[in-house]
């Protein structure tokens, strides 16, 4: 995404809806958006004391546990095998360009040495190490962007106004104090953005907790987003709210969905903006570690997901739920190695690309970088393919080995004759256009 594409990119990265025009991103922010869009692949890490139960990150809510009893698990949280260098090295070798880790999930437990609450990994556990500090420092050393997930809701703090989840955790709903809770959140965000070096993005979640309120709940997102941009102008703001983008947001998130598909049901009626796009998805079924969930997607399925998101011009944020020991699951590491092997061979068709000239088709997708159009064939039963494009093709070849592809112009577009019927995870053609 260089040179002649810069004007096009500037247009792509601006917000689409009229309300978002109130927010004017700085030059630093626009540069960070372009860099983020070029990355295409990141790893999501859902980790907290919930990993000790092996039942996923919603265990406190799903089991209807008393939050004070649940909090006692912190006294036994000792991830002795956590190794930030090993984590970042494995993720970098997989071809991922950034990491997004849960700084504080809905259970309210903070994974850093926050001064705003003793309910954190340094003060409440025998481990007494700042996970976020170690991971952020290692990311900076290895040249990987570090982003922080941050929950807007909290099932343990009584000052958080009750939403539609967490009612069984035995909090006193009469003690809700939104101004106090809002200050708490902003103080924590200030810590994250002033004590951990450059942060690529703040990734919010939980807005949907008040989507059934009789009176619309005011999350006061505007001042909070302004705080983030003031502390780090290049820090991007994303919010997994499942609604149209809000002023001040720099990323549009699609949970468990390639933009525009809505197979998971979270994106109904939500239009695709011109912000950088990101799809978040799990490797297996859960976000947080669940001991019985070994239903991992194959490497081929995950690579195809990456290809399909890239065909939309979006990034893939692929989740791993670390074990309570501090290790990444062996199957997850195996998938990372396979994805990394594939990206080392075919990464030029993914990194730094934008959505291609031809939208998603039953046979696959396309991506574009400069004059190069990459045709990703995922399902084709013959060796000919008609592309409805008008640009002139100077050269066409199979990306894997450079074999030539015959090109013939027709009234309907460009007819490609391949040297064979495509097979494998992703059969890629590289077309150099004029």
């Amino acid at each position: 995404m260089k040179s002649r594409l810069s004007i096009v990119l500037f247009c792509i990265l601006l917000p689409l809806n009229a309300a978002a025009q109130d927010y004017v991103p700085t030059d630093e922010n626009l540069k960070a958006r372009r860099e983020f869009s070029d990355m295409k692949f990141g790893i999501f890490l859902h980790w907290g004391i919930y990993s000790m139960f092996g039942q996923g990150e919603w265990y406190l809510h799903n089991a209807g546990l008393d939050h004070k009893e649940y909090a006692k698990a912190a006294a036994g949280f000792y991830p002795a095998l956590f190794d930030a260098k090993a984590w970042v090295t494995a993720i970098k070798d997989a071809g991922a360009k950034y990491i997004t880790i849960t700084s504080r999930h809905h259970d309210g437990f903070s994974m850093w040495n926050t001064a705003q609450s003793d309910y954190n990994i340094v003060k409440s556990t025998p481990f007494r190490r700042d996970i976020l500090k170690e991971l952020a420092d290692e990311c900076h050393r290895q040249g990987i962007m570090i982003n922080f997930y941050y929950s807007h809701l909290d099932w343990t703090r009584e000052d958080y106004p009750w939403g539609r989840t967490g009612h069984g955790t035995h909090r006193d709903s009469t003690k809700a104090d939104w101004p106090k809770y809002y200050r708490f959140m902003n103080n924590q965000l200030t810590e994250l953005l002033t004590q951990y070096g450059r942060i690529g993005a703040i990734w919010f979640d939980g807005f949907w907790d008040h989507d059934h309120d009789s009176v619309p709940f005011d999350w006061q997102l505007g001042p909070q987003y302004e705080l983030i941009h003031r502390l780090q102008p290049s820090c991007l703001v994303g919010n997994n709210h499942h609604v149209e983008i809000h002023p001040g947001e720099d990323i549009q998130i699609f949970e468990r969905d390639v933009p525009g598909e809505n197979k998971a049901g979270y994106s109904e009626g939500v239009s695709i903006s011109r912000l950088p796009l990101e799809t978040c998805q799990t490797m297996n079924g859960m976000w947080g570690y669940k001991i019985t969930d070994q239903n991992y997607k194959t490497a081929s399925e995950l690579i195809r997901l990456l290809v399909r998101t890239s065909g939309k011009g979006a990034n893939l944020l692929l989740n791993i739920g670390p074990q309570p020991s501090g290790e990444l699951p062996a199957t997850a590491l195996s998938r990372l190695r396979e994805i990394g092997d594939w990206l080392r061979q075919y990464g030029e068709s993914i990194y730094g690309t934008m959505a291609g000239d031809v939208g998603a088709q039953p046979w696959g997708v396309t991506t574009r970088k400069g004059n190069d159009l990459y045709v990703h064939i995922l399902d084709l039963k013959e060796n000919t393919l008609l592309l409805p494009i008008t640009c002139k093709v100077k050269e066409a070849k199979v990306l894997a080995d450079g074999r030539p592809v015959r090109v013939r112009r027709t009234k309907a577009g460009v007819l490609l004759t391949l040297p064979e019927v495509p097979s494998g995870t992703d059969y890629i053609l590289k077309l150099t256009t004029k």
Side-chain angles (χ1 to χ4, degrees), residues 320-365:
I320 299 172
Q323 297 169 171
S325 64
E327 297 175 290
L328 301 180
T331 305
L333 288 171
S334 175
R335 296 293 186 271
L336 289 181
R337 286 191 290 269
E338 293 178 86
I339 295 170
D341 289 343
W342 187 87
L343 281 168
R344 274 183 281 277
Q345 185 171 5
Y346 302 112
E348 70 170 84
S349 69
I350 301 294
Y351 300 125
T353 63
M354 59 195 305
D357 304 31
V358 182
Q361 301 293 321
W363 50 260
V365 300

Side-chain angles (χ1 to χ4, degrees), residues 103-385:
S103 66
R104 173 175 154 271
H105 207 268
H106 310 327
D107 67 350
F109 184 77
S110 297
M111 294 292 282
W112 80 98
N113 190 22
T114 177
Q116 308 309 314
S117 167
D118 288 343
Y119 192 41
N120 69 67
I121 194 165
V122 175
K123 297 185 178 73
S124 294
T125 79
F127 194 57
R128 299 193 181 282
R129 284 163 53 187
D130 190 326
I131 292 292
L132 296 193
K133 178 65 174 172
E134 294 183 28
L135 193 62
D137 287 349
E138 189 60 36
C139 283
H140 295 145
R141 276 192 288 270
Q142 295 201 35
I144 294 284
M145 176 185 283
I146 182 72
N147 303 335
F148 292 143
Y149 166 112
Y150 189 85
S151 174
H152 265 137
L153 70 89
D154 193 308
W155 294 325
T156 63
R157 291 184 62 93
E158 293 182 327
D159 53 4
Y160 170 68
W162 271 31
R164 63 178 170 87
T165 65
H167 293 186
T169 64
H170 299 175
R171 288 183 302 132
D172 186 346
S173 63
T174 67
K175 294 183 179 180
D177 186 341
W178 170 250
K180 179 182 176 183
Y181 181 71
Y182 187 66
R183 286 193 301 273
F184 161 77
M185 287 197 297
N186 288 341
N187 287 339
Q188 283 207 317
L189 290 167
T190 298
E191 290 177 350
L192 293 173
L193 291 165
T194 58
Q195 299 175 19
Y196 295 85
R198 182 185 173 186
I199 305 305
I202 297 295
W203 205 102
F204 286 111
D205 192 19
F207 176 96
W208 35 261
D209 195 43
H210 282 278
D211 58 7
H212 291 169
D213 290 8
S214 57
V215 177
F217 187 80
D218 183 7
W219 286 98
Q220 295 181 261
L221 296 180
Q224 195 167 69
Y225 292 172
E226 289 172 9
L227 170 69
I228 294 168
H229 290 136
R230 183 171 70 253
L231 293 173
Q232 289 201 30
S234 65
C235 184
L236 305 179
V237 173
N239 197 324
N240 186 37
H241 45 41
H242 309 153
V243 295
E244 298 291 338
I245 56 172
H246 289 249
E249 294 171 6
D250 308 297
I251 304 168
Q252 186 176 20
I253 298 167
F254 294 85
E255 182 176 353
R256 293 187 184 272
D257 269 317
V258 173
E261 290 189 356
N262 192 35
K263 291 181 179 179
Y266 296 128
S267 305
E268 183 177 359
V270 178
S271 59
I272 300 175
S273 75
R274 293 176 180 172
L275 293 173
L277 309 176
E278 181 184 71
T279 289
C280 59
Q281 182 57 280
T282 56
M283 271 198 188
N284 45 7
M286 296 293 293
W287 300 102
Y289 177 66
K290 185 175 183 179
I291 195 168
T292 59
D293 183 9
Q294 298 301 312
N295 188 29
Y296 281 82
K297 301 169 184 66
T298 67
S300 179
E301 289 174 320
L302 294 174
I303 290 166
R304 284 172 170 239
L305 176 60
L306 173 60
V307 169
R308 291 192 298 112
T309 57
S310 297
K312 287 285 190 177
N315 290 10
L316 173 63
L317 182 61
L318 184 61
N319 184 75
I320 299 172
Q323 297 169 171
S325 64
E327 297 175 290
L328 301 180
T331 305
L333 288 171
S334 175
R335 296 293 186 271
L336 289 181
R337 286 191 290 269
E338 293 178 86
I339 295 170
D341 289 343
W342 187 87
L343 281 168
R344 274 183 281 277
Q345 185 171 5
Y346 302 112
E348 70 170 84
S349 69
I350 301 294
Y351 300 125
T353 63
M354 59 195 305
D357 304 31
V358 182
Q361 301 293 321
W363 50 260
V365 300
T366 62
T367 57
R368 175 175 281 281
K369 180 162 53 182
N371 291 328
D372 295 325
L373 178 66
Y374 297 94
V375 182
H376 298 265
I377 302 175
L378 306 176
D379 185 16
L380 187 65
K381 307 303 185 201
E382 55 191 9
N383 73 327
T384 58
L385 179 64

